Amino acid sequence: MIDPPPLKNDCFALPPGVEWTPVDEALARLRAGLACVVGTEAVPLADADGRILAEDAIARRANPPEANSAVDGYGFAGPAPEGVNRLSLAAGRAAAGVPFAGMVPPGQVLRILTGAALPKGVDTVVLEEDTATDAASIAFHGPVKRGANTRRAGEDIAAGAVALPAGRRLSPPDLALLAAVGIGSVAVRRRLRVGVLSTGDELRAAGAEAGPGQIYDANRPMLLALTGRWGHAAVDLGHVPDDRAALRARLDRGAQECDVILTSGGASAGDEDHVSALLRAEGSLTSWRIAMKPGRPLALALWRGRPVFGLPGNPVAAFVCALVFARPALETLVGAGWQAPQAMRLPAAFAKSKKPGRREYLRARLSPEGMVEVFASEGSGRISGLSWAEGLVELPDGPTEVRPGDPVCYLPYGAFGL
Ligand code: AMP
Ligand code: MG
């Protein structure tokens, strides 16, 4: 008869003598080890939102291309002195797209509309609302500074300047900027093909019949959607049971069809953890024990030359690891460069004490008062908490005591590109 081992006080502490990789070290390793793996293609601006610029976008034209009026009013050669100014009205007008060809003589004003190029003889505009006029002249109170109510040529951006740098993920305002400086199509990175594969004998596809001992594959729709949100081409590699040959075949297929593969499940060191076992035996497993909660088992490896992120099976851990590790890695692979999430320091609406040894991520969101609330349960099986949350609280690797009102590091999902 065998006796069970005695329980120890520190039975939930990290095993002694085991090397846990701190989050920052794992991130630094990833950052150092990865580079852009996709080529480029040209796309018209209309299709460029969310794509990654492959080279600097150089302004073909200045914005604005010529000096023009910022308001509707009257243009003249400034400045106008203090006191009442009366100037006679020149014939004609200048409008956006319909420039005034002639010269406005000194001492006269010309009717000018917003966006109209400043004609010769005009460097200053007085606002229509500030003038009184009859058919022949206008009157207004000075002083009006030279250049008032005008925009200088190139004041926004000069021709030949870098409008946007290589690596930029294009946003709707970026498209406005590129259009304004005369760019109609851009060289962008080909979309990164991201394979998503679930592993585990217990899994059934969402919506299918599930019997005793079976659970639904929650990770695959989540990870496919995440990669889609990040602007990548998500490739559904389906689900494989805990069978090494099946996993090998599916990884081979993934390596052919994708630039990078995200697996979930089987990443620990247990008997049924075929992902880490296979990657260790036949791939090149680089790092797999990260000092963080949730999601310590994380396998990082190359399979037939393709990076594989073996995420934990637990959906909460899979999600957090995807945000913390996979996202910046994928950004690097697609040429956007490493992106650290921008955290906010906000007051906690909760209390928590934490031991040293690993970084912790809590499911969190902001209260109406702008304080950071955390989900009632830290149980890593609580998928509802992920859905409840709108971000994560990051607690540092060291020991931490959080009291209500203390500033904590809040990372809204938006900081992870969601
Ligand atoms: P594993 O990492 O394979 O040991 O899985 C850890 C836990 O996550 C187990 O309870 C699994 O049943 C569960 N799990 C693994 N993959 C998935 C998945 N795709 N969807 C939902 N739960 C999963
Ligand atoms: Mg499993």
Side-chain angles (χ1 to χ4, degrees), residues 198-200 202-203 215-220 242 264-268 272-273 297 311-315 383:
S198 293
T199 71
E202 72 279 31
L203 299 183
I215 61 164
Y216 288 113
D217 179 357
N219 290 342
R220 198 148 45 98
D242 289 316
S264 66
S268 282
E272 294 300 328
D273 290 318
L311 302 170
N314 187 294
I383 304 178

Side-chain angles (χ1 to χ4, degrees), residues 80-334:
E82 191 163 349
V84 175
N85 288 264
R86 288 177 213 283
L87 299 173
S88 63
L89 197 52
R93 64 167 210 174
V98 192
F100 179 78
M103 148 109 193
V104 178
Q108 293 194 14
V109 297
L110 182 77
R111 177 81 174 124
I112 191 165
L113 302 179
T114 306
L118 300 185
K120 281 202 190 70
V122 171
D123 60 11
T124 304
V125 176
V126 59
L127 208 64
E128 175 167 0
E129 295 89 306
D130 293 344
T131 63
T133 179
D134 56 26
S137 61
I138 70 162
F140 59 92
H141 291 284
V144 178
K145 283 193 196 131
R146 172 172 291 154
N149 298 313
T150 66
R151 307 170 177 138
R152 282 177 293 107
E155 70 175 16
D156 186 27
I157 182 163
V162 175
L164 292 168
R168 170 89 177 181
R169 185 183 290 284
L170 294 173
S171 67
D174 291 345
L175 303 186
L177 176 59
L178 294 173
V181 297
I183 295 173
S185 77
V186 278
V188 295
R189 293 288 168 189
R190 175 172 66 64
R191 275 190 205 281
L192 189 73
R193 296 162 307 174
V194 180
V196 174
L197 172 62
S198 293
T199 71
D201 287 339
E202 72 279 31
L203 299 183
R204 286 293 169 273
E209 286 296 315
Q214 300 182 323
I215 61 164
Y216 288 113
D217 179 357
N219 290 342
R220 198 148 45 98
M222 175 176 74
L223 295 172
L224 286 167
L226 263 185
T227 55
R229 288 265 184 125
W230 290 331
H232 309 305
V235 179
D236 188 352
L237 294 175
H239 150 243
V240 285
D242 289 316
D243 172 87
R244 203 181 277 207
L247 179 60
R248 183 189 295 114
R250 200 66 66 91
L251 286 177
D252 284 347
R253 185 188 131 196
Q256 268 175 9
E257 294 177 12
C258 311
D259 301 300
V260 51
I261 301 170
L262 305 182
T263 68
S264 66
S268 282
D271 293 346
E272 294 300 328
D273 290 318
H274 295 279
V275 174
S276 49
L278 183 64
L279 292 175
R280 190 174 308 108
E282 300 178 31
S284 57
L285 192 73
T286 52
S287 168
W288 61 284
R289 310 186 103 179
I290 313 248
M292 74 184 270
K293 181 187 171 189
R296 288 181 289 170
L298 179 71
L300 308 169
L302 283 186
W303 184 265
R304 315 263 180 265
R306 305 291 196 200
V308 177
F309 292 85
L311 302 170
N314 187 294
V316 174
F319 182 76
V320 172
C321 286
L323 299 194
V324 174
F325 295 102
R327 178 191 176 241
L330 298 181
E331 291 291 282
T332 303
L333 292 171
V334 79

